[in-house]
Amino acid sequence: MSHTAELIAVGTELLLGNIANTDAQMISQGLSQLGINVYYHTVVGDNPQRVRQAVDIARGRADILITTGGLGPTCDDLTKVAVAQAFGKELVYHEPSAQRIRERFAQRGTPVTENNFQQAMVPEGCTVLDNDWGTAPGVAFQADGTHVLMLPGPPRECAMMFRHRALPYLQKLSDGVIASRTVKTFGIGESAAEALLRDLMNALHNPTLAPYAKPTGTELRITAHAPTREEALRLIAPVEEQVKAILKDKVIGVDVDSLEEVCLRLLKDRGLTVGTAESCTGGLMAKLLTDLPGSSAVFRGGVVSYTDAVKRGLLGVPEDLLAQHGAVSPQVAQAMAQGARSALGCDLALAATGVAGPDPDDRGNPIGLVYLALAWEGGCQVVPFRAGTQAERERVRRMAAWTGLDLIRRHLTGLPLA
Amino acid sequence: MSHTAELIAVGTELLLGNIANTDAQMISQGLSQLGINVYYHTVVGDNPQRVRQAVDIARGRADILITTGGLGPTCDDLTKVAVAQAFGKELVYHEPSAQRIRERFAQRGTPVTENNFQQAMVPEGCTVLDNDWGTAPGVAFQADGTHVLMLPGPPRECAMMFRHRALPYLQKLSDGVIASRTVKTFGIGESAAEALLRDLMNALHNPTLAPYAKPTGTELRITAHAPTREEALRLIAPVEEQVKAILKDKVIGVDVDSLEEVCLRLLKDRGLTVGTAESCTGGLMAKLLTDLPGSSAVFRGGVVSYTDAVKRGLLGVPEDLLAQHGAVSPQVAQAMAQGARSALGCDLALAATGVAGPDPDDRGNPIGLVYLALAWEGGCQVVPFRAGTQAERERVRRMAAWTGLDLIRRHLTGLPLA
């Protein structure tokens, strides 16, 4: 049986344009994976009558209703109240949720204000969706042929609650299973990937193949529908191989989260350590390499050398090199990487020096030009990266840092660095 | 007379979660500035019947209807067709629009395919909103007491069309303006802030006061409606003072973006430089301090000392201190800050050493415990920070880094550090 879901986001901040409704995007992606149709999203403010009206309209045209936001103490839990009323349900006190709220505040070491306990009131007979990422529990129930799920609004909480609480609930409603594998790339845009894969995409029905532009790189999701997970994965496998064969060295992994993860695993597997020397990226490469647990096994340390004095003093970049070529030069990038290797005592050292903007540097180097260098025992290679002169500071830094990490991946997998 | 607008976004890509509805956010911000209420956003797919249904619902509860998307040849201009039908209007050929389409294709040097001329069909008697940023013209008309505006969907086109075409049209409809000021805090949660401000919030009508939980700290937005911007700001001023008096040293600024921005301005104003020494935050403090343009005027550099060897070698942390107290200790935090001050040659140095998780350290320090230290000429203070033992690695790092930056703010504004 095919299901239709409708999303209702509750939050005046959405109607004021303070934030975009990214919860709806995230949930829609998940529902699309499950083969559940979505025909409408609605956004409504923190107003009980209007929430009620939105619910009444939605239940007339969908059999799964998912609300986001309007839980928690600051909005008087208005979504829960309005939805419970719409379905003729009483709110009842849920002691385990109250206990979780107490514990959460105790961990933080802050006193619980009374308004927080309102969050422990839930519609009678519902399934409570424990919230391990915030204080407001989610709720799921079925009434009058409609499945209702209520999730908190803050995007991270909502994403975790959807993935770990709502998805398992929804999976039970669909027949067969949907499985997917995601081929993660770096260094190729969505439209370029789509152009290369178009014929394959058009020829496929089950599994399907769809590109997604993510800030960290284009993802290709292969999704199959089958009676069992094993069968779905069997359908996916040959398509995964085809995608890899077409996108070649742009593929950084399958079902991996990030380039950082790929780099850390490669370094661990090979028993190598890494360090960083950063100018324009200002610590971002070190931050990315230490984002994941277990990074201390491979990451030794980093130097953020924002001034020439620090480049000389901590990284031993020769003064005449700086004077002759300037801080933004292949020569200085190489000296930074080699200096970091010796100062930090690591096997590989990654360096970045460039112009993040908003202005070109005083030697006329354009915004967005970054020299990346990777030093290893017995070698060092410099790779220029150009984000484009129109790129914003944040993008220059981010793309340069990732391009730097990609040098580690390429070096450790025997690919040419540039 | 007060107006109510409703936004309808047309596009299956929104319902599949390929993109977020950022057009709605952008338009809502603009409408809020005009004092036009927005009670609902709706997203609907490329389906004429459902677009028609959304329009019929919206016109019953708003007097301004703004659609985005569903114009242009790839969707058969379905929004225009559905909206025109809903209001009983014929579509008529608009030669100037056809001419613009011809010219646009001529500029690109590509032939015009016949389906493009469908875009030159507009509802009879409408105002055509010329599109200088794409091929599909926008449309505005009034019928049965409702103002209808249709804008193209691609975000940049939509933003330009809204700013340069829709806003001038809407400005004629609205009386008065809305102005707002945002008091930004650090170190106080949304519900704690709300508890302190509840009486004030309840007593206010114009201006209104509302808390917003942002990852960077709770914001209090004060919004006033008045005939002119000056009068609105005059209404806001005393409330702003009351909020500041209640939240005291938690207030980091008004209409500021971030703690980073506040720190950089304070450092610049006082002609001071800063550097960092980071263990568990792994470069994040340096990254934050260099996120903003102009940071090179105050930020000298940083050391990410992920190992004891780097703490000794680059920061000069004494070996016996590490052996006696362990890397996660007030003593080592202090030595790191003082060592960074001298190694980096900066006026202030900020250090962090702690346990980001997911495991406690080998001396039994709990997850989430971070010692922060700020060193300045003639002084150094260590402040312990506890994120809670359940906090995720990412949160520990982020909160510790911001708490570190807050030490800079507190030091430079004469507040106690702890």
Side-chain angles (χ1 to χ4, degrees):
Chain A
M1 183 197 143
S2 147
H3 292 281
T4 300
E6 185 152 339
L7 310 189
I8 299 179
V10 180
T12 302
E13 70 276 19
L14 290 156
L15 296 179
L16 290 171
N18 296 334
I19 55 170
N21 191 7
T22 53
D23 289 344
Q25 183 186 10
M26 179 271 301
I27 292 174
S28 295
Q29 282 180 7
L31 294 174
S32 143
Q33 292 290 306
L34 288 179
I36 295 174
N37 299 313
V38 180
Y39 293 147
Y40 296 94
H41 298 166
T42 304
V43 176
V44 60
D46 296 333
N47 176 292
Q49 286 74 38
R50 285 193 281 269
V51 171
R52 173 68 190 270
Q53 200 204 340
V55 169
D56 286 340
I57 291 172
R59 66 194 287 197
R61 51 191 191 188
D63 68 323
I64 299 172
L65 218 62
I66 303 178
T67 70
T68 53
L71 304 182
T74 56
C75 55
D76 295 328
D77 269 291
L78 77 92
T79 305
K80 234 163 42 189
V81 175
V83 173
Q85 269 177 8
F87 287 90
K89 289 193 170 279
E90 294 291 321
L91 290 176
V92 296
Y93 183 71
H94 187 244
E95 173 51 31
S97 290
Q99 187 52 32
R100 289 176 76 93
I101 291 165
R102 271 182 224 110
E103 283 163 13
R104 215 174 157 85
F105 276 84
Q107 280 159 14
R108 286 193 208 154
T110 48
V112 199
T113 51
E114 198 50 38
N115 56 359
N116 275 287
F117 288 109
Q118 199 179 21
Q119 300 175 88
M121 300 295 290
V122 300
E124 51 182 336
C126 76
T127 303
V128 174
L129 307 175
D130 289 340
N131 184 347
D132 286 335
W133 308 273
T135 55
V139 151
F141 64 82
Q142 186 180 4
D144 310 335
T146 306
H147 294 272
V148 180
L149 291 92
M150 291 183 246
L151 303 176
R156 191 179 151 274
E157 255 181 77
C158 187
M160 291 293 141
M161 289 290 285
F162 181 72
R163 190 191 307 166
H164 299 291
R165 303 288 184 263
L167 268 187
Y169 185 98
L170 293 167
Q171 247 147 3
K172 290 187 206 132
L173 306 181
S174 61
D175 48 18
V177 297
I178 300 259
S180 69
R181 301 255 299 162
T182 301
V183 178
K184 181 113 190 157
T185 69
F186 183 78
I188 183 166
E190 187 191 10
S191 62
E194 209 191 346
L196 287 172
L197 295 167
R198 179 158 297 163
D199 290 345
L200 181 58
M201 284 166 62
N202 288 342
L204 290 169
H205 294 290
N206 185 27
T208 58
L209 172 64
Y212 293 91
K214 300 273 166 157
T216 52
T218 304
E219 292 182 0
L220 290 309
R221 191 171 305 143
I222 311 163
T223 306
H225 192 177
T228 68
R229 185 170 162 77
E230 288 64 40
E231 284 176 72
L233 291 175
R234 217 169 8 245
L235 291 170
I236 288 171
V239 176
E240 183 181 318
E241 291 312 309
Q242 281 173 287
V243 171
K244 284 178 175 172
I246 290 169
L247 299 181
K248 301 192 181 74
D249 63 338
K250 306 294 186 197
V251 174
I252 67 163
V254 178
D255 283 351
V256 294
D257 272 343
S258 63
L259 199 45
E260 300 87 280
E261 182 191 324
V262 172
C263 288
L264 283 188
R265 210 197 40 240
L266 286 169
L267 289 162
K268 260 183 212 167
D269 287 352
R270 285 157 181 72
L272 295 171
T273 59
V274 68
T276 52
E278 308 184 58
S279 186
C280 61
T281 50
L284 179 55
M285 297 196 309
K287 188 251 173 206
L288 290 172
L289 285 169
T290 58
D291 269 345
L292 297 174
S295 51
S296 58
V298 298
F299 185 75
R300 286 291 167 96
V303 171
V304 183
S305 53
Y306 229 52
T307 58
D308 284 359
V310 176
K311 288 186 186 75
R312 286 194 308 267
L314 294 186
L315 296 172
V317 176
E319 183 143 20
D320 59 346
L321 215 58
L322 287 160
Q324 196 184 335
H325 304 287
V328 179
S329 61
Q331 293 84 354
V332 168
Q334 173 163 343
M336 285 170 66
Q338 288 170 331
R341 237 192 121 236
S342 105
L344 300 165
C346 46
D347 299 308
L348 296 180
L350 179 61
T353 178
V355 187
D359 302 305
D361 78 350
D362 49 15
R363 291 198 179 225
N365 286 306
I367 294 168
L369 173 64
V370 179
Y371 291 104
L372 298 161
L374 186 71
W376 60 89
E377 181 163 13
C380 182
Q381 189 172 340
V382 179
V383 176
F385 164 76
R386 287 176 183 84
T389 53
Q390 298 300 307
E392 289 184 1
R393 180 179 176 86
E394 191 268 335
R395 186 182 151 78
V396 173
R397 283 157 52 96
R398 193 162 37 85
M399 293 310 296
W402 274 324
T403 305
L405 296 191
D406 201 42
L407 297 185
I408 297 176
R409 174 185 76 92
R410 291 180 157 268
H411 175 72
L412 295 180
T413 53
L415 292 167
L417 297 200
Chain B
M1 183 201 141
S2 148
H3 292 281
T4 299
E6 186 153 338
L7 311 189
I8 299 177
V10 180
T12 301
E13 69 278 18
L14 291 156
L15 296 179
L16 290 172
N18 296 336
I19 55 170
N21 191 6
T22 53
D23 289 345
Q25 181 185 12
M26 178 273 300
I27 292 174
S28 295
Q29 283 177 3
L31 294 174
S32 147
Q33 291 296 311
L34 287 179
I36 295 174
N37 299 313
V38 180
Y39 293 146
Y40 296 95
H41 298 166
T42 305
V43 177
V44 60
D46 295 333
N47 174 293
Q49 286 74 37
R50 286 194 279 269
V51 171
R52 173 67 191 270
Q53 199 204 342
V55 168
D56 285 341
I57 291 172
R59 67 192 287 197
R61 50 191 191 189
D63 68 322
I64 300 173
L65 216 64
I66 303 179
T67 70
T68 53
L71 305 182
T74 54
C75 55
D76 293 331
D77 269 292
L78 77 92
T79 305
K80 233 164 42 189
V81 174
V83 173
Q85 268 178 7
F87 288 90
K89 289 192 170 282
E90 295 290 320
L91 290 175
V92 296
Y93 184 73
H94 186 242
E95 173 53 31
S97 289
Q99 187 53 31
R100 288 176 75 93
I101 291 166
R102 270 182 224 111
E103 283 163 14
R104 216 176 155 82
F105 274 84
Q107 279 160 15
R108 288 193 207 153
T110 48
V112 200
T113 51
E114 198 49 43
N115 56 358
N116 274 287
F117 288 108
Q118 198 178 21
Q119 300 174 87
M121 300 295 289
V122 300
E124 51 183 334
C126 75
T127 303
V128 173
L129 307 174
D130 288 340
N131 185 348
D132 287 336
W133 307 274
T135 54
V139 151
F141 65 81
Q142 189 181 3
D144 310 335
T146 306
H147 295 271
V148 180
L149 291 92
M150 291 183 248
L151 303 176
R156 192 178 152 273
E157 252 182 82
C158 186
M160 292 293 141
M161 289 291 284
F162 181 72
R163 189 190 306 165
H164 299 290
R165 302 287 182 266
L167 267 187
Y169 185 97
L170 293 167
Q171 245 146 6
K172 291 185 206 138
L173 307 181
S174 74
D175 47 15
V177 296
I178 298 262
S180 69
R181 300 255 298 162
T182 301
V183 178
K184 180 114 191 160
T185 69
F186 183 77
I188 183 166
E190 187 190 11
S191 61
E194 209 208 354
L196 288 172
L197 295 168
R198 176 155 289 174
D199 291 345
L200 181 58
M201 283 166 62
N202 289 340
L204 289 169
H205 295 290
N206 185 29
T208 57
L209 173 63
Y212 294 93
K214 301 272 168 157
T216 54
T218 304
E219 291 183 359
L220 292 310
R221 182 159 319 135
I222 311 163
T223 307
H225 192 180
T228 67
R229 184 170 165 76
E230 288 64 38
E231 284 176 72
L233 290 175
R234 220 170 4 247
L235 291 170
I236 288 170
V239 177
E240 183 180 319
E241 292 312 311
Q242 282 174 284
V243 171
K244 284 179 177 170
I246 291 169
L247 299 180
K248 301 191 182 74
D249 62 337
K250 306 292 188 199
V251 174
I252 67 164
V254 178
D255 284 352
V256 294
D257 273 341
S258 63
L259 199 45
E260 299 88 277
E261 181 191 325
V262 172
C263 288
L264 284 188
R265 212 199 36 242
L266 286 169
L267 288 162
K268 260 183 211 165
D269 287 353
R270 285 155 180 73
L272 295 171
T273 59
V274 69
T276 51
E278 308 184 59
S279 185
C280 62
T281 49
L284 179 54
M285 298 197 307
K287 188 253 173 204
L288 289 171
L289 285 168
T290 58
D291 269 345
L292 298 174
S295 51
S296 57
V298 299
F299 185 75
R300 283 294 166 95
V303 171
V304 183
S305 53
Y306 229 53
T307 59
D308 284 359
V310 176
K311 288 185 186 74
R312 287 195 307 269
L314 295 186
L315 296 171
V317 176
E319 182 142 21
D320 59 346
L321 215 58
L322 286 160
Q324 197 184 335
H325 303 287
V328 179
S329 62
Q331 292 84 353
V332 168
Q334 174 163 342
M336 285 170 67
Q338 289 170 331
R341 237 191 121 236
S342 107
L344 300 165
C346 47
D347 299 307
L348 295 179
L350 179 62
T353 179
V355 186
D359 301 306
D361 77 351
D362 50 15
R363 291 196 179 226
N365 286 304
I367 294 166
L369 173 65
V370 180
Y371 291 104
L372 299 162
L374 186 70
W376 58 92
E377 180 161 14
C380 183
Q381 190 173 338
V382 179
V383 176
F385 164 76
R386 287 177 184 83
T389 54
Q390 298 301 306
E392 288 186 1
R393 182 180 175 84
E394 190 268 336
R395 184 180 151 82
V396 174
R397 283 157 52 96
R398 193 162 37 85
M399 293 310 295
W402 275 323
T403 305
L405 296 191
D406 201 41
L407 296 185
I408 298 176
R409 174 185 75 93
R410 291 179 157 269
H411 176 71
L412 295 180
T413 53
L415 292 167
L417 297 199

